[in-house]
Amino acid sequence: MIVGIVSCCKRKMTVRARARHLYLGKSFQDAARHVEKNCAAWVILSGKYGIVYPDNILDPYDFDLRKQSKSYIEEWAADVNHKLRMRFPGATFLIAASQPYLKALKGLQYEILFRRTG
């Protein structure tokens, strides 16, 4: 099973929305379309929420994983890895994410769709 992972982006709608629509960045939208079409399932990585499913309803937020403490990022990464392994055992992940998110996904079997900057 191939599961897509797309990291969130800064640009968001200003109203509550499904996660798949909340994030407005072109790279996010391009990657989301790709993984939705080519993967068995997909999730969004949020620095604030961890794993977000495309149909989760979220309020807009402003949160930058890069500005968090080392301990926060380590705990966040451990939680993300655990949840991905539990929800998708044995999966290969196709990832479209920026560097801070890629670093957090240590130990998962994955291919990089593309690296996003920022």
Side-chain angles (χ1 to χ4, degrees):
M1 171 193 278
I2 298 176
V3 176
I5 299 176
V6 180
S7 62
C8 66
C9 62
K10 182 173 179 72
R11 205 167 143 237
K12 299 172 187 69
M13 295 179 71
T14 58
V15 296
R16 185 178 178 100
R18 291 189 189 281
R20 72 175 66 237
H21 303 297
L22 180 70
Y23 304 102
L24 300 175
K26 181 173 176 11
S27 292
F28 173 86
Q29 291 178 346
D30 290 347
R33 276 193 296 274
H34 181 82
V35 297
E36 191 165 39
K37 181 179 178 182
N38 295 292
C39 297
W42 70 286
V43 298
I44 300 162
L45 280 186
S46 163
K48 183 173 184 176
Y49 297 112
I51 300 298
V52 175
Y53 295 94
D55 288 325
N56 289 152
I57 306 290
L58 299 176
D59 288 316
Y61 63 94
D62 186 17
F63 189 90
D64 189 337
L65 183 63
R66 295 170 296 181
K67 294 180 181 176
Q68 305 312 305
S69 69
K70 183 178 178 180
S71 63
Y72 176 91
I73 294 170
E74 288 172 353
E75 288 178 31
W76 176 88
D79 183 60
V80 163
N81 276 282
H82 174 75
K83 286 179 178 172
L84 287 171
R85 288 185 177 142
M86 296 305 290
R87 176 67 178 91
F88 304 107
T92 297
F93 297 94
L94 183 61
I95 301 174
S98 56
Q99 192 59 35
Y101 295 92
L102 287 175
K103 287 172 63 175
L105 299 172
K106 296 175 186 170
L108 292 179
Q109 179 180 347
Y110 65 86
E111 296 176 23
I112 298 172
L113 174 60
F114 63 82
R115 284 187 179 92
R116 292 190 3 218
T117 57

